[in-house]
Amino acid sequence: MTETELKSAEDMVAEADTGARQAGAFATRLIFWLCVTWSVFQLYIASKVPGIVAQATGINDFANIVAQARYVHLAFALALATLAFPIFGHRHKIPLYDWALLVAGVSACLYLVVFRFEIADRPGLWTTTDIVMSAIGMGVLLVAVFRSLGLPLVIIGSLFLALAFFGGYSSWIGSITNYGGASFSKAMGHYWMQTEGVFGVALGVSTTMIFLFVLFGALLEKAGGGNWFIKVAIALLGALRGGPAKAAVLSSMMTGMISGSSIANTVTTGTFTIPLMKRIGFSPEKAGAVEVASSTNGQLTPPVMGAAAFLMVEYVNIPYIEVVKHAFLPAVISYIALLYIVHLESLKLGLQGLKKPGRHIGVVMIMVLFLTGFLGMAVITFAVVSFRAMLEPMMPGATVYPALVLLGAAYIALTYMASRFPDIEVDDPNAKAVSAPRLTPTFLGGAYYALPIFVLVWNLMVRTEHLDRLSPALSAFWATIAMVVVSMTHRPLKAFFRGEHHMVEEAREGVRDFISGLESGARNMIGIGVATGAAGIIVGTISLTGAHQIIGQVIEVISGGNLIILLLLVAVLSLILGMGLPTTANYIVVSSLMAPVIVSVGAQSGLIVPLIAVHMFVFYFGILADDTPPVGLAAYAAAAISRGDPIKTGLVGFSYDIRTALLPFMFIFNTDLLLINVGPVKAVFVFFVSLIAMLLFAAATQGYFIAKSRKWETAVILLIVFTLFRPGYWLNQWQDQYTEVTGPAAITALGDLPVGTPARLQVSAPDFDTGIVGTTTVVLTPEAEGSGEERLQAAGLAVMENDGILQLDEPFPGTPFFDILANDYDFYGDEPAQIASVAIENDRMPKEIFFIPAFILLLLIVALQSRRATQPAF
C-alpha cells in the first residue's frame, strides 16, 4: 500500500472518528491539551481521589463534581467537536463562528453545574435564562453531531424534535399516543434541564463506563498492543490456505473486542492485512470485504461490544455478566463461520498462504493451541482465586495486595521474557518478501500486553465467596491503570534486562506513548460523546410523546400480524437507522425505536421472547449498516486501502455477513443460542450444533462445501441448517406445543402448574386510545404453591368469573404486568378486559430428536461431494 493510500485511509478515520482539523500550531496544541485534560478528568472521577480530597480539605465540590460529571463530559465533547471537526471546508483555520459556538456550547453545559442548586429549587419552573441556555445547548449539540457524524443522526433527531413540537396538531398521532403537544419551554426543559433527554442514561453510561473502555483501548494501541494482536494472528494463521485473510479475521476480532469503532478497526488492521490478502490472490473488493466483515463483527464481540454492552445493562436491566453470557455464543459462532467463509473463498480461488520459517502449524495444532490457551487461563484464574481464598482468613478484605504483588511479578517475568526476543516492529506489507513470523518469539515478545486485559476480564467476571465482581466502570478503571503502568514501563524495563544504556530515552518514549494514548482516547470519544447526547433527544421524545407507539402501529398494519414479516421489517428499519452512526449511537437509536415494537406487536401475535434477545436482534442489524451500501463507512475505509470499488466492497462484505443476519432470527425463535436457561452441559451441546449449522449455512451461501455444490445440494444443506437451528419447528408440526384452556378450567390449570413452570395468558381488552378490542400475550410463572386465583393475585392480577368469562381488573401498580397492560388497555370501558385463554406447554419428546435425520442428510451430502472433490478440504 502506497503512502498516499495510507494517508487517504487515515484521513477517512480522522473525518469520521477523530477530527480532521489542521489549523496551525496553536489550534493543534489546544486540541491536544483539551484531549489530555478530558482523559485525566475521566480517570479522576472514576477513582477514589475526589472523595479522599473532599474529606481531606472539607470542600465537598471535589466530590460533587462526580455527580455533575455528565455535564462536564458533554462540554468537553462539544468543545472538541467544534475545534477538531471543520465545517464548510474550513480545515486549515478556526473561524470566528466556531469560537462562538465553542463558548456557547460549553456555557450551556456548565450552566447546569454552576447554577445546579438554584435549578434544583425550581424543578419544572424554568426561567427565561434556563430556556435560552437549553436552546443554545441543543443547537450547538446538533451542529456538533453534524460535524462529527454527518447528517443521519441530525435528521433523525430533528424529526423527533418536530414530533415533540408539532405532533400535538395531528389527530392521528393524538389518537395513538394521547399526546397533545408541548410548548417550547416544556420541551427545552425536558430535553436539557433534567435527565430525561440529552443528559439521560446514554450520556451517563458514556461518562462513567464507555470513556474508560475507549481510553483503555487507545492506550493499548499506542503502547504496541494492537500491532502485537496483528502479528500473533499472522504468526498463527498466516501460513494456512488464504492465511492473511484468516489472520485479518482473528486480529480484527481481538482489536474489535476493545474498540469502539468499526471504521478505526478496519484501518488499524486493514493497513497490514488488506495488501497481504491482495498479494496472495484476493481481489481488492474481496480483500476489503473480509476486513470490513471482520471489523464490524468486532462490535458484536464481548466484553465491550462497541460500548453497547454497558448500555444494555441499563436498558435491559440485567447484570453485565449476563449480557456477556448472552452475547458470547453468537459472536464466537459468527467469527468461526467467517473464518470458514474465508477458507471456502481460498479453496475456490486455489490460494495458498504466506511462507513461514520454522515448523508449520496445522489446523489441528491451532485448535490445540486455542484450547490450551483457554485451559491455561482457567488454571491461572483458579490458582489466583485459591491463593486469595487461602489468605482471606489471615488478612480479611486485604488479599488484593498480595494479588497485586503476583501481578507485578508476572509482569516483570513476562517483560524479561520479551526482552530475550527482538521488539515487535510494524512490518511493511508492501515489502518484496513477506513471510509469516514465528509464533513463539512473536507471542512471548508481547505477552505482557495480555495482563491488563486479564485484569479487565478478572474484575468483570470473577466472583467467589470472598470476591465480588467490580462494576464495569471500576473494572475499566483498574484495567486502564494497569495499562498505564505497562505503557510507561515496558520499554525501559526491556532495555534494562537487555543491558542497554538508553533506559532514560526509552522511559521518555513510554511517557510519550501514555500521553499519546490519553489524546487518542479522548479523540475517539468525541463522536461517541455527542452521539449519546443526541440520542438522548430520541429517548426524551419517546418519554414525552410515546413515539414508539406510532412506529409500532405502522409496522403492525404493514405486517398484518405475521411474525416473520414483522421481524423482517424491523431488521430493514434497523439497517436503515444504523447507517452512518457510530456503534453506541446506533444501538441507542435502534433499541429505543425498534425493540419496543417487537415486544408489543410481537406479544399481540403470541411472540414472547426475553428482552435481551430483542435488544440483541436490533443491535445485530444496526451494526450491519457499517458495511451496507450506500452508506457503509467501513467499506469506504477498506476500499481506500485496497483501491477497490467501495460499493462492491460493501456488497461483498454484506454477502459475507449474511451469516450474521441469520443469527438474530435464530435466537428470537431459539433462545438456547443466547444461553438463556441453559446449563453448562447443554451449553456445550448447543455450541457445537449451532456452529455446525452456521458453517453449513456459510457453505450454502458460498455454493461450495467439499466441492462445488449443485443447486439441490444447496437446498438440502439449507434444510439441514434450518433443522439444526430450529428443531422445535418440526416438533410443533407433529405435536402441539401448548394446550389451551378457557373459563374456570383455566384457573384450575393455573393452580395445578408445578412451581417455576410458565403459562401463557392471552389477555383481551379494549385499546386505551381507540377502544378497539385487541389481544396480547403475557407469561405467568408461579413462584409458590397455591390456587389459580392466589397465583394470579400474587402477580397483581385480580380475576372475577362472570358467566364463564374471566374478567380482569387493572393490574396493581408496581406489579410485573402493570406497565405491560395498564398503559395500553382500558380496564374500565364497556367491553370487559378478560383472560381469553391460558396456554400450558405440553410434555413432549425432546426437539433434539430431529437432529438425527439432519445429520444423516449431512453425511449423504459429504459422501456425494467427496467423490467430486479436486483438492483437500483443509
Side-chain angles (χ1 to χ4, degrees), residues 285-422:
E285 287 76 20
K286 287 190 175 181
V290 168
E291 184 57 54
V292 168
S294 307
S295 297
T296 53
N297 272 234
Q299 310 304 296
L300 305 173
T301 308
V304 177
M305 297 169 62
F310 316 114
L311 289 162
M312 285 185 185
V313 170
E314 301 295 329
Y315 288 169
V316 185
N317 196 26
I318 60 175
Y320 171 81
I321 190 68
E322 290 295 309
V323 173
V324 171
K325 183 183 80 171
H326 298 320
F328 177 75
L329 202 59
V332 172
I333 290 172
S334 183
Y335 261 109
I336 295 176
L338 183 56
L339 282 169
Y340 186 56
I341 287 174
V342 167
H343 180 73
L344 292 176
E345 287 282 16
S346 303
L347 281 174
K348 289 192 291 183
L349 297 171
L351 306 181
Q352 299 300 318
L354 298 174
K355 293 182 179 179
K356 182 179 180 180
R359 186 163 59 92
H360 180 75
I361 303 175
V363 175
V364 175
M365 180 56 68
I366 290 173
M367 294 175 66
V368 170
L369 287 173
F370 270 110
L371 183 60
T372 303
F374 279 116
L375 290 176
M377 291 302 293
V379 169
I380 292 171
T381 301
F382 178 77
V384 176
V385 168
S386 301
F387 173 71
R388 293 187 65 175
M390 180 182 67
L391 293 179
E392 185 66 28
M394 293 179 281
M395 39 192 320
T399 58
V400 65
Y401 300 110
L404 287 174
V405 172
L406 276 181
L407 181 67
Y411 172 57
I412 292 172
L414 289 174
T415 309
Y416 172 78
M417 196 178 300
S419 70
R420 303 297 95 187
F421 301 100

Side-chain angles (χ1 to χ4, degrees), residues 135-148:
I136 291 173
M138 293 284 287
V140 175
L141 174 61
L142 289 175
V143 173
V145 170
F146 174 68
R147 291 171 180 275
S148 55

Side-chain angles (χ1 to χ4, degrees), residues 660-681:
T660 306
L662 174 70
L663 278 170
F665 287 95
M666 293 300 101
F667 55 61
I668 282 287
F669 291 106
N670 181 10
T671 56
D672 288 353
L673 284 169
L674 298 180
L675 301 181
I676 296 175
N677 298 323
V678 171
V681 175

Side-chain angles (χ1 to χ4, degrees), residues 17 256 259-269 291-292 294-299 306 581-583 623 625-627 633-635 637:
D17 274 357
S259 168
S261 167
S262 55
I263 303 169
N265 193 355
T266 298
V267 173
T268 300
T269 55
E291 184 57 54
V292 168
S294 307
S295 297
T296 53
N297 272 234
Q299 310 304 296
L581 299 184
T583 302
I623 289 301
D626 277 350
D627 63 5
L633 297 179

Side-chain angles (χ1 to χ4, degrees), residues 434-456:
V434 178
S435 60
R438 292 185 60 198
L439 178 60
T440 300
T442 303
F443 177 77
L444 294 180
Y448 55 84
Y449 289 121
L451 285 177
I453 299 175
F454 177 78
V455 171
L456 175 65

